[in-house]
Amino acid sequence: MFHCILYHKGVTVGFASCLSFVFLTIPAAIAAKLLYGVSLADSDWLHGSAESLLTVTNLVTVIAFRQALKAKEENAPVMPESATSYAPMTWLLVGLTALAGVTALVPALMTPEVHTPYLGGFMDLPPEFVTWGNPEPENALTVATWIIHVSSLVEFLVAMGFAWRWADISGNQTWKGLTWGLIPLHSSGITACTYHLFYNQIPILVPFQAFLTCLGNTTAAYAAYRIAVSNNWAFPLEQLYFLNMDKGDVSATGSEVKQESPSLVGFEDLGDALANDNDYTFLVKLFVGCAVASYAIKYGELFFDFPFDANVYLGISVILVPSMLNAFKWYKRSQDPKFEGWF
């Protein structure tokens, strides 16, 4: 990934920071097991703190990508500093990661229980106010933790849309391969949300998510390699001949560049739809939308019985249907750029 991005040093920081999420989630999971004898997903304060790092990763990636795209589309004489230097996004990453650390450290000093809510559950509705539907289990996610999960999915789609757009405005079509390569990782996020939707009662989803994550890391790495090769980077180990590919002409010029439909057709187009917003209003609107969706999920599912039934087949369907629609949407767009998807 480090060699694949031209004028995208901030995006590189975003993708690379995913390693911090992986490394710091491990001690959180160990703590949940040693302290409470449960999985990380069943201890909300640890779970929310750990998962917030993934939101940080996605935010840094989206902001840096957005700034680079805006400069490119406006034919700015120079690219923004976040695109040509690692420093701005690195400092943003450090600040947000420190903030995420505080959300774990503060409750840790207050003798938290297994189901102590993330951020004190300050965004949750008062229990006495929730009088409808089924009673909520103790391991239910708080609104704040749901916002982290929903925003991560949406931010990931936005980043995928940015990669697709960059392919068109830069003329380097290998960037669309990155969108394809990220699909399994997005499906991994859908799997995590599905697991929580059923109150962590379908254990087979845990190894299934791990498989999708491994697959997505592999496909994203290969997509990044193709971008690097298209930018005249050569793999240093000649003996790995199977990685050497014919660069060919990956740039589309003139009429070969397909322009996307300007209408809002899905979450991945939020970056385009909110292009006139500055970074702050963009993030505020993104947060508000994810918060509304999180309230709807947390309290809306209480009206139904299926989240409490732990039906494996239904859970798999909740994952596969949107994942297949997502993949088919990008396939149709590669054939017909005016195709308007379903989400």
Side-chain angles (χ1 to χ4, degrees):
M1 179 64 72
F2 293 101
H3 294 281
C4 79
I5 301 177
L6 183 63
Y7 297 131
H8 279 296
K9 290 186 176 180
V11 178
T12 301
V13 172
F15 278 116
S17 65
C18 188
L19 292 173
S20 65
F21 162 69
V22 174
F23 288 134
L24 295 177
T25 297
I26 293 173
I30 294 174
K33 179 60 69 174
L34 293 179
L35 293 175
Y36 309 119
V38 301
S39 68
L40 179 61
D42 288 317
S43 182
D44 196 70
W45 74 275
L46 281 169
H47 185 205
S49 299
E51 292 292 334
S52 65
L53 296 172
L54 183 57
T55 296
V56 168
T57 291
N58 293 337
L59 275 177
V60 171
T61 303
V62 166
I63 292 173
F65 223 148
R66 185 174 188 267
Q67 292 177 353
L69 269 169
K70 186 174 182 180
K72 188 75 171 179
E73 290 174 334
E74 294 177 354
N75 294 317
V78 294
M79 296 296 285
E81 187 180 1
S82 63
T84 59
S85 171
Y86 295 116
M89 292 299 107
T90 298
W91 283 113
L92 177 61
L93 174 65
V94 169
L96 293 177
T97 302
L99 181 61
V102 170
T103 66
L105 181 61
V106 171
L109 297 176
M110 301 174 66
T111 317
E113 300 294 332
V114 58
H115 296 305
T116 294
Y118 176 60
L119 298 182
F122 80 100
M123 298 185 71
D124 290 3
L125 298 177
E128 61 273 14
F129 181 78
V130 184
T131 58
W132 58 84
N134 296 290
E136 195 173 48
E138 284 187 321
N139 68 340
L141 270 60
T142 55
V143 169
T145 305
W146 266 120
I147 289 175
I148 287 172
H149 284 74
V150 173
S151 65
S152 293
L153 286 180
V154 173
E155 290 157 5
F156 219 75
L157 279 174
V158 171
M160 292 164 70
F162 281 165
W164 197 271
R165 283 172 56 196
W166 185 267
D168 285 336
I169 67 172
S170 68
N172 186 344
Q173 297 301 295
T174 58
W175 276 92
K176 291 184 178 179
L178 182 60
T179 298
W180 284 104
L182 294 175
I183 288 178
L185 288 174
H186 186 259
S187 295
S188 173
I190 295 175
T191 304
C193 289
T194 302
Y195 183 62
H196 304 319
L197 182 69
F198 287 87
Y199 300 109
N200 309 337
Q201 298 179 94
I202 307 180
I204 195 175
L205 296 186
V206 176
F208 185 56
Q209 183 193 10
F211 165 74
L212 289 173
T213 300
C214 181
L215 176 63
N217 288 340
T218 302
T219 54
Y222 180 65
Y225 169 77
R226 293 182 67 244
I227 297 173
V229 170
S230 73
N231 289 329
N232 299 317
W233 177 77
F235 200 86
L237 301 179
E238 296 298 326
Q239 62 268 32
L240 297 182
Y241 62 90
F242 61 89
L243 285 178
N244 292 321
M245 53 182 281
D246 182 12
K247 300 174 195 171
D249 183 9
V250 295
S251 298
T253 58
S255 61
E256 292 178 335
V257 177
K258 298 179 179 179
Q259 297 298 322
E260 298 295 330
S261 170
S263 60
L264 176 63
V265 300
F267 288 116
E268 71 281 355
D269 296 298
L270 283 176
D272 193 14
L274 302 179
N276 293 328
D277 289 76
N278 59 41
D279 290 336
Y280 301 104
T281 57
F282 172 79
L283 293 177
V284 167
K285 291 179 180 179
L286 186 65
F287 171 80
V288 171
C290 293
V292 170
S294 298
Y295 277 104
I297 294 171
K298 178 176 173 63
Y299 297 109
E301 68 172 326
L302 297 179
F303 285 106
F304 305 96
D305 293 328
F306 74 85
F308 303 87
D309 295 336
N311 187 298
V312 175
Y313 300 105
L314 180 58
I316 295 295
S317 298
V318 172
I319 298 166
L320 293 183
V321 170
S323 295
M324 289 188 294
L325 289 176
N326 190 27
F328 185 68
K329 170 181 61 183
W330 294 113
Y331 167 75
K332 289 289 290 183
R333 283 194 173 187
S334 66
Q335 304 298 313
D336 178 10
K338 293 185 179 180
F339 172 71
E340 298 188 359
W342 310 275
F343 59 92

